[in-house]
Amino acid sequence: MTHEKLTMAQALNRALRDAMTEDSSVVVFGEDVGPLGGVFRVTDGLTAEFGENRCFDTPLAEAGIVGVAVGMAMNGMRPVVEMQFDAFAYPAFEQIVSHVAKMRNRTLGRVTLPMVIRIPYAGGIGGVEHHCDSSEAYYAHTPGLHVVTPATPGDAYGLLRESIASPDPVVFLEPKKLYWTKEEVSLTTASLVGRAVVRREGTDATLIAYGPSVPVALAAAEVADREGRSLQVVDLRSIVPFDDETVCAAVRSTGRAVVVAEAAGFASVSSEIVARVTERCFHSLAAPIRRVTGFDIPYPPPKYEHLHLPGVDRVLDAVDDLQWEDS
Amino acid sequence: MTGDAHHLLPSGTPVTLIGIDGHPVAGSGRVFPSDAELRQALAALITARRLNDQAHALVRQGRLAVYPSSHGQEACQVAAAQVLDDGDWLFPTYRDTVAAVGRGVDPVEALTLLKGDWHCGWDPYEHRVAPHATPLATQLPHAVGVAHAARLRGEPTVAMALCGDGGTSEGDFHEALNFAAVLRAPVVFLIQNNEYAISVPLARQTAAPSLAYKGIGYGIPGERVDGNDVAALLTVLGEAVARARAGEGPQLVEAHTYRMQAHTNADDATRYRTSAEVDAWLERDPITRLERHLNLPASDVSEMREAADRVAAHLRDGLNRDISPTPAQLFEYVYATPTSQLREQQAQLADEHAREGAAG
Ligand SMILES: Cc1ncc(C[n+]2csc(CCOP(=O)(O)OP(=O)(O)O)c2C)c(N)n1
Ligand SMILES: [Mg+2]
């Protein structure tokens, strides 16, 4: 097993390269992914290394990109397409919901779509409007799609390799603000999809997070530790499939939980987590599960985003609210 | 309906009225704008360039989050605004700040979104300029809707809908053209073909002989115009607006121009185009060309420059002013009446602030 120090963007690039090397049916396309290497440079060097047939720029048409990927996946290829930003995937929404997600079902499993839709998502980078949406709930709500989101460079590599190898379509959500985080990455293809992971052990309460909110939860646990409270942190890694087992075991072990997510809280993935865990762990809970999410407003501009995003203070406030004493 | 598509076809070469040397091009057979119109255009061009360069500098100073500059494309920006009447509408993209200013929008307001705020900054009804659209081509169906509604209401309004070369590949572009044609909506679609969509060159965007051909399948006549010749733009766009107003249906104009700077300050253009390619466009600069043609007394031109400096200073001052943030407003405009959840969240934020204030 090889280890390398990589940023998340480099780890994703490495995953694409390794998959393309191993499997000639893997093709990459999208807007500016060719010579430019993508606006976040995730596809850097792929056209030079594998040629124009394997990594190419498309016309500016997201519905077309995903629709063509459907056809290529129907005919023996494994397309990995890039949507340039979260909010620019919406023109492709019809293709994703009506075709990508349903093809297997409406053909009794005869036509499958091994394709990956990569989407840089979420905020925290001072982006202007349409560049910071947390769109996971739209996809997670659509039966037929896998939805995964890495929080570390290592997971980014492993999750992307596994997503490309998957027989089913995967919406692969890349937290933009973590593209430049760096760590030692083991280039393995161990199975991660559908498996949450305990990122930090703790005994008093459990923080449940995914993607961009994992570092926030870890930072909160660090501060809480100094204040004498031991917080456990669970990273979902995969929203669909959802790892009930790991999440519930973690919550049962502490009896208290807070969900941390950037997306607006109403009708969200965080609502789903609270519902599932409450249904399964009711008798182990000492307090209602709290959620710390973005407000129910359109994503605000750079100078306000720190007020909107779940931060350490808000997470710790929620933890304080977990009915530690009878009042 | 006739089977003959000939009247829809664009000319083989773009319409040019003033050559690079500043002399009129012979034999175009087109109306030449008056000196007064050209003088007005020159003053606007000089201001436009000054604003582009000022905004570019303000990004470097951290006063603007991002600026997609129209440096090099100012003739399109100026002409698109100048050919409209007060009752007409303009639908700009993120690159068309200068065109919005041409319609009377205050440049400080025009840059509100790009400064990194959540609202467009101006009242769209005041100057009949829609908010900038960033999701590509999504503004085009809106322009059709505004124009169609105007017709139903018996108003003589024309909508000028702006779009880039890359944007013509989006589904919304095609749906907008088709709707406009079927409804005979008075819309002028102006494509600023600046040869790139970020890094992707036009050849990767279309295999059509030119983007002006895109209207033919929908029954819309297309024209090609030199996008760095403001005289040609005034004539071609002016006539297109007149035809649309006269009830002849939508018109499509492709302006051939070039983006002289990177896509935005966040883009590195050296990764996909050579400096020789960029330099070759220098001699086609829209301002030099018109200055050569008009050959005005130096004092007239310096007056125009001073006026442009004043506009730039106004922009600089406006953006250098620190405005204290008003987080409570984030919750005010989501609905006509904020939901109880929003009220709760607003109170939560205010409470956090109060506690922070008390602690700090
Ligand atoms: C639906 C959508 N997809 C992708 C983007 C990201 N994006 C912003 S500008 C741009 C290039 C547009 O090129 P063009 O239409 O030629 O306009 P130009 O920038 O050259 O003025 C892209 C891909 C977007 N804004 N909207
Ligand atoms: Mg362009």
Side-chain angles (χ1 to χ4, degrees), chain B residues 64-196:
Chain B
L64 268 178
V66 66
Y67 185 66
S69 176
S70 60
H71 187 123
Q73 302 177 212
E74 289 95 344
C76 299
Q77 301 278 305
V78 163
Q82 193 170 324
V83 297
L84 296 181
D85 287 347
D86 283 349
D88 293 337
W89 272 86
L90 179 77
F91 282 80
T93 75
Y94 50 89
R95 200 176 297 291
D96 303 315
T97 302
V98 164
V101 171
R103 286 283 288 164
V105 177
D106 182 306
V108 178
E109 289 180 0
L111 287 168
T112 304
L113 255 178
L114 296 170
K115 186 177 76 185
D117 230 319
W118 79 87
H119 55 91
C120 76
W122 68 85
D123 174 357
Y125 290 112
E126 188 183 348
H127 302 286
R128 298 203 160 197
V129 177
H132 293 284
T134 299
L136 298 168
T138 53
Q139 73 280 13
L140 304 178
H142 308 166
V144 177
V146 161
H148 183 53
R151 252 177 40 110
L152 295 179
R153 291 156 55 108
E155 297 160 359
T157 305
V158 172
M160 173 75 67
L162 306 185
C163 176
D165 47 299
T168 65
S169 298
E170 293 283 2
D172 278 7
F173 172 84
H174 296 271
E175 296 185 22
L177 258 61
N178 195 43
F179 263 83
V182 169
L183 297 172
R184 287 187 80 74
V187 182
V188 174
F189 296 96
L190 170 59
I191 305 168
Q192 288 172 76
N193 171 5
N194 62 9
E195 304 208 352
Y196 286 89

Side-chain angles (χ1 to χ4, degrees), chain A residues 16-322:
Chain A
L16 291 170
R17 266 168 59 205
D18 291 354
M20 291 172 88
T21 305
E22 274 174 32
D23 180 351
S24 63
S25 71
V26 176
V27 288
V28 170
F29 53 99
E31 297 161 5
D32 301 285
V33 300
L36 188 70
V39 293
F40 292 105
R41 305 292 184 262
V42 170
T43 57
D44 199 20
L46 297 182
T47 300
E49 186 169 342
F50 297 97
E52 291 240 323
N53 288 338
R54 302 284 307 282
C55 177
F56 58 94
D57 285 329
T58 65
L60 253 169
E62 294 76 11
I65 293 169
V66 173
V68 167
V70 167
M72 292 179 77
M74 287 171 74
N75 198 12
M77 312 293 273
R78 286 184 180 270
V80 183
V81 298
E82 177 174 300
M83 302 282 102
Q84 200 160 70
F85 280 90
D86 31 59
F88 304 144
Y90 301 145
F93 200 62
E94 178 179 30
Q95 286 291 337
I96 296 174
V97 171
S98 298
H99 296 289
V100 175
K102 292 185 178 143
M103 189 66 85
R104 174 185 288 279
N105 197 55
R106 45 201 292 274
T107 61
L108 297 179
R110 292 181 182 113
V111 179
T112 60
L113 297 178
M115 59 185 278
V116 179
I117 303 172
R118 294 183 35 248
I119 310 178
Y121 87 122
I125 58 159
V128 292
E129 59 164 6
H130 312 298
H131 293 75
C132 299
D133 282 15
S134 288
S135 39
E136 63 269 30
Y138 305 133
Y139 305 112
H141 189 67
T142 304
L145 301 174
H146 286 199
V147 183
V148 305
T149 178
T152 67
D155 279 5
Y157 180 86
L159 285 169
L160 185 52
R161 289 300 307 270
E162 196 179 349
S163 298
I164 295 171
S166 166
D168 278 322
V170 179
V171 173
F172 195 91
L173 299 171
E174 303 170 2
K176 284 186 277 284
K177 75 166 191 197
L178 302 182
Y179 271 137
W180 302 278
T181 54
K182 205 167 193 169
E183 71 169 9
E184 193 82 21
V185 172
S186 70
L187 303 175
T188 64
T189 50
S191 177
L192 307 177
V193 174
R195 291 167 203 251
V197 61
V198 175
R199 287 267 172 231
R200 182 186 170 110
E201 296 293 348
T203 52
D204 293 335
T206 302
L207 304 180
I208 305 166
Y210 56 88
S213 297
V214 172
V216 177
L218 288 168
E222 193 63 43
V223 175
D225 189 54
R226 276 184 254 130
E227 295 171 356
R229 197 165 264 165
S230 163
L231 301 183
Q232 182 187 40
V233 176
V234 177
D235 171 1
L236 293 184
R237 297 203 281 219
S238 159
I239 297 171
V240 182
F242 189 88
D243 184 356
D244 285 309
E245 202 178 316
T246 304
V247 174
C248 289
V251 174
R252 282 195 197 99
S253 76
T254 62
R256 288 179 166 84
V258 172
V259 181
V260 187
E262 272 189 30
F266 196 84
S268 62
V269 169
S270 55
S271 321
E272 175 64 22
I273 298 171
V274 173
R276 305 184 74 76
V277 176
T278 307
E279 281 166 355
R280 288 164 177 77
C281 308
F282 186 71
H283 290 292
S284 310
L285 288 171
I289 301 172
R290 288 289 314 268
R291 287 180 295 157
V292 180
T293 67
F295 295 122
D296 297 318
I297 59 174
Y299 195 87
K303 67 180 169 199
Y304 294 105
E305 74 177 352
H306 67 286
L307 300 172
H308 175 72
L309 294 172
V312 168
D313 288 340
R314 221 170 266 163
V315 173
L316 293 176
D317 283 352
V319 170
D320 284 343
D321 266 0
L322 293 173

Side-chain angles (χ1 to χ4, degrees), chain B residues 20 22 282-293:
Chain B
I20 294 169
L282 277 175
E283 63 165 19
R284 302 179 60 172
D285 185 81
I287 303 182
T288 333
R289 207 194 292 196
L290 185 59
E291 277 182 349
R292 276 191 194 136
H293 173 75

